[in-house]
Amino acid sequence: MAKKGTIVIDPGHGGSVEVGGSSHNNARSPSGVLEKNLTLRMAFLVRDALAEAATLGGHAIKILLTRETDKNLGLRDRALVAKSNGADLFLCIHFNASEGHNARGVETLVSPKAGNSNHAADAAFAQLIQTAVVNALRVHDPTTKDRKVKDQPLGVLRESSLGTKARGCLVEIEFLDHKAVDELFNLGANATQVRADVAQAIANALIEAL
Ligand SMILES: [Zn+2]
């Protein structure tokens, strides 16, 4: 079935200073890859995969990124890109980090029920993204953990900025500060394929969600 809609992809972080509650970078891989650069790279891959899938499937999809360069935007401004463009879907892309640099797994966050009139729809959307990323990663690394869809208050998903039309969620693709994830996404012989497969899986889930 041909789908129609507007999708806004938000690559987390960017630039060199904090802006409006958005830190310039969070996770960093052991080899030095910065989350802000990997989120942008993944966003470009998702955009390309979406565009190709739209052409092949006859879908009329408008795809926007909140940033296309190494700059930071405030959390509210990121959400406003989705609101002002009447987006149907708003996906924030991040990588995670843990104190001991030893956590693994994929999780997708949505705004909690209190103050979020779209909670059920957001959670259903988030589950599609979560399942897609976990399955795509498990092809390359069967030990990837499913840390599930979780409620978490996040400035970037606040309904007062995002509005009520767009369903929104934030995917933490993996823990970038873990050695095995650095290998998987950045250093390993299959890293290009891993990134492409995860992006393709996200693109497919976005089209399914439309
Ligand atoms: Zn982040």
Side-chain angles (χ1 to χ4, degrees), residues 13 26 35 94-95 172:
H13 312 285
N26 183 19
E35 177 187 359
H94 285 251
F95 284 81
E172 296 274 12

Side-chain angles (χ1 to χ4, degrees), residues 12-13 23 25-27 35-36 39 93-96 170 172:
H13 312 285
S23 59
N25 190 65
N26 183 19
E35 177 187 359
K36 63 171 186 162
T39 59
I93 296 179
H94 285 251
F95 284 81
N96 228 332
L170 184 153
E172 296 274 12

Side-chain angles (χ1 to χ4, degrees), residues 69-113:
T69 58
D70 182 23
K71 67 167 184 189
N72 202 357
L73 279 89
L75 299 178
R76 185 164 185 273
D77 286 340
R78 293 172 189 262
L80 284 175
V81 173
K83 188 182 184 185
S84 62
N85 285 285
D88 300 281
L89 300 173
F90 179 53
L91 175 66
C92 306
I93 296 179
H94 285 251
F95 284 81
N96 228 332
S98 74
E99 211 149 293
H101 310 302
N102 54 3
R104 284 290 314 267
V106 183
E107 60 191 44
T108 305
L109 310 171
V110 295
S111 265
K113 226 172 189 168

